[in-house]
Amino acid sequence: MAKIEIDTVSKTYAGGAKAVHDISIDISDGEFIVLVGPSGCGKSTLLRMVAGLEDITGGEVRIGGRVVNKVDPADRDIAMVFQNYALYPHMSVYDNLAYGLRNRKTSRSEIEARVREAAKMLEIEQYLERKPRMLSGGQRQRVAMGRAIVRQPSAFLFDEPLSNLDAKLRVSMRGEIKKLQKRLGTTSIYVTHDQLEAMTLADRLVVLNKGEIEQIGSPLDVYHKPASTFVASFIGSPAMNLVAAKISNGRVLVGGFDIGPSSVSNSVPVTIGFRPEDARLSDPTQGKLLFQLDYVEELGAQRLLHGMIGDQAATVATSAEDAFSGDMALSLAPEKLHYFSAETGKRLPVEPSLKAAAAAAASSEAAI
C-alpha cells in the first residue's frame, strides 16, 4: 500500500491541446478515490499518467514518496483493471491470473497460493480451467480483478471497469469492488463517467471538467454542497434543478415572483438550485413558484414529475401516493436552496444569520 501524490500535473498534446491543467490531489494510504466527469474531461488521461501509460508534460506523480515520472509502468508497483478486461484468450483463467507472477519469476508454490486465494475471494474457483470465451462478462471482469489482486500491488487503478456490463450486473459488481477494496485496504483510483457509480464507491470524489478539478470531497459533501452549477447538474440522479433568480431586499425573485426569504445578501442575478426531492407540491392558488407538468416518470416507490418553471426545465420527486395535476406550484424551504453566481457558476456562501432569519420568516409565512 502507498500514498499517491499528484502534484500540479498537466498534459499537453502535440499541437498545444491541453487535456489536464495543473491538477493536484493527495491520496492517502488505503483511500478509494473516484475521478468522475463527462467524456473528454481528462480523467482517463490523468489515470494513465499515474500508471505510466501517458507521458507527463508538467508536475510530478509520487507513489509511496518516490517520483515515478520516468519510471516504467511495470516498475511502479501498481495494477490496472481495464474496461475491456484485456485477458489472454488462448490462456485458461488460471494462467491469466498467474501470467504476471511468472514474468516476475515468482516461485511456483507462491503463484499457486496467490491464484487460489484470489480465485476464492472472487468466487471464480470453478472457472480456473476455462478459457475467457466460456465466461460471462461479469466473470471475465472478476478474472481481470483477480489478475490485479495476485500482484499484491501498492495501488489499484480502475479505468471504467464496469462500463461493458449490463445495468443489473454493474450494481452488484460495484458492491463487490467496494467490499474487496475495504478488505484489502489497497490505495485505489477509479475512473468513471457514471455519477451513481462514483457516489457509491468513493471515499472521496474528484469531479473533473475540461481538464480541471471542479470539486474534491466526500460523496455526501459534493451532493449536499456542490461547488458550482456544473457539479450540481452532474452529481445526483435526477440532477439538481437550476433556475435563474435575483435577490432583492432579502427576498428570492424568480421571474419577478417572490418565492421566499433569501439566505445570501447578494443583490445581483443568481442561479438558485434545489434538489428534486426538496420541492413540495402546493395549490397553484397559494404557491408562488408555478410548475407546468410535461410528463410523469413512474419508478415504483417514487414518481418523477418533469415540467417547466417558466422557460426552464425542472424535475420534482414525489412519493407514488402524492396527488398531482397539470397546474401546480412548488414550495421550497429556504434551508434547502443553493445559491450560485449567475456569472461564474460558483457557489455563493450562505450567511448563517441570514439563513436563520430566512427559516424564521418562512415559518411565519407558512403559519399565516
Side-chain angles (χ1 to χ4, degrees), residues 91-98 115 124 127-132 135 143:
M91 292 184 183
S92 67
V93 168
Y94 185 99
D95 290 335
N96 266 283
L97 295 175
V115 168
I124 54 173
Y127 308 125
L128 288 176
E129 302 308 316
R130 296 187 186 182
K131 298 288 177 63
L135 304 178
V143 176

Side-chain angles (χ1 to χ4, degrees), residues 176-348:
E176 293 295 327
I177 289 174
K178 183 69 172 179
K179 287 191 294 184
L180 188 64
Q181 192 271 339
K182 289 299 181 187
R183 176 177 175 180
L184 298 173
T186 307
T187 309
S188 300
I189 306 177
Y190 189 105
V191 161
T192 182
H193 64 276
D194 185 329
Q195 51 90 19
L196 279 177
E197 196 170 288
M199 289 283 291
T200 55
L201 285 172
D203 293 329
R204 281 193 298 157
L205 290 179
V206 179
V207 184
L208 295 171
N209 182 29
K210 297 179 181 178
E212 298 182 342
I213 293 177
E214 288 273 343
Q215 188 170 359
I216 300 178
S218 72
L220 287 181
D221 282 344
V222 173
Y223 184 82
H224 290 299
K225 291 185 178 180
S228 64
T229 52
F230 172 82
V231 177
S233 62
F234 191 80
I235 299 297
S237 181
M240 180 180 285
N241 296 302
L242 298 170
V243 180
K246 186 174 182 179
I247 309 301
S248 180
N249 297 321
R251 309 291 294 184
V252 183
L253 307 180
V254 175
F257 293 96
D258 183 339
I259 67 167
S262 169
S263 298
V264 298
S265 58
N266 199 310
S267 61
V268 299
V270 298
T271 299
I272 62 165
F274 60 93
R275 292 289 179 191
E277 64 270 22
D278 291 333
R280 295 291 177 265
L281 301 178
S282 61
D283 190 294
T285 62
Q286 299 175 356
K288 298 174 182 177
L289 191 60
L290 296 181
F291 177 74
Q292 293 180 309
L293 180 66
D294 284 339
Y295 67 97
V296 179
E297 195 175 357
E298 297 286 1
L299 301 178
Q302 190 183 54
R303 173 184 289 141
L304 297 182
L305 309 180
H306 299 272
M308 303 292 291
I309 297 173
D311 60 355
Q312 298 167 94
T315 303
V316 178
T318 72
S319 72
E321 290 76 30
D322 287 344
F324 65 94
S325 64
D327 295 316
M328 289 174 285
L330 304 181
S331 296
L332 303 173
E335 67 272 14
K336 297 294 187 180
L337 290 181
H338 303 258
Y339 299 85
F340 305 93
S341 166
E343 181 180 353
T344 66
K346 300 301 182 182
R347 185 181 187 87
L348 296 173

Side-chain angles (χ1 to χ4, degrees), residues 146-158:
R147 190 171 53 186
I149 289 168
V150 297
R151 293 265 311 278
Q152 297 179 351
S154 294
F156 291 135
L157 307 182
F158 297 90

Side-chain angles (χ1 to χ4, degrees), residues 1 13 34 105 120 122 125 172 192 233 238 274 291 311:
M1 296 185 289
Y13 290 105
V34 177
K105 310 301 182 184
K120 182 178 181 180
L122 294 165
E125 296 167 284
S172 63
T192 182
S233 62
F274 60 93
F291 177 74
D311 60 355

